[in-house]
Amino acid sequence: MCDPRPTYPVAGPTGNADFVYFEAEDAFANTGLGGKTWSVNNTQDFSGQSALQSLTDSGVNVTQGNALANSPRLDFQLTLAATTTYAVWVRMMGVNNAGNSVHVGLNLNTAGAATATVAPPQNNVWVWVRAANMTTATAGNYLASVYMAEDGTRVDAIAVVRSGNATTPPFDERTWAYATNRKVAQ
């Protein structure tokens, strides 16, 4: 049995070496938009119960500036400190060069603008990709959001870290999380 879905909001990382890890399928909200959704995808070597893929895969691209209004998104709610810089890692897989990127945002209380775009260095393998640093203005509940940039892209998990931590999330993606062995690094 896998861990139950997290109770939101989840406390954010407090130390420079801490990670807060989420499976994509356990998002606080999975919001479809414009006929596109984040749907279950069981490509080999996903972690948890499944991965998610932005479907339908028809070659649609959405710019970072238009992501909030035009992209399906996954939201993960965290309680974060004031004036602290964080980074979001996305464990993802591109299916081809027209389906291999997502946008990421970190916004107070509600979904907002995407502020970074990430893509894996190669397609058809799961890889952790780090988004640009994002700084919180005030303490409170934030949404770490993953928006579809190119449909067809697959997302397995995200990890939120303090910006000083440049280490790739230390999780064995092939190991399931169990109630007695949670996948949380601190």
Side-chain angles (χ1 to χ4, degrees), residues 63-167:
T63 65
Q64 184 176 308
N66 291 326
L68 180 62
N70 296 308
S71 292
R73 87 178 172 272
L74 300 169
D75 294 323
F76 305 88
Q77 188 183 48
L78 299 103
T79 302
L80 299 176
T83 60
T84 303
T85 304
Y86 295 92
V88 176
W89 286 83
V90 180
R91 185 166 188 268
M92 61 187 300
M93 178 189 289
V95 294
N96 54 47
N97 289 337
N100 70 350
S101 64
V102 296
H103 304 301
V104 178
L106 188 64
N107 295 283
L108 183 63
N109 294 321
T110 62
T115 55
T117 302
V118 296
Q122 65 187 49
N123 293 323
N124 296 312
V125 294
W126 289 112
V127 63
W128 284 102
V129 182
R130 182 186 169 116
N133 290 340
M134 296 169 253
T135 303
T136 56
T138 61
N141 291 334
Y142 282 78
L143 289 182
S145 300
V146 177
Y147 303 85
M148 179 200 82
E150 298 173 319
D151 61 1
T153 305
R154 297 172 183 153
V155 173
D156 184 38
I158 73 162
V160 179
V161 300
R162 301 281 292 266
S163 68
N165 187 347
T167 305

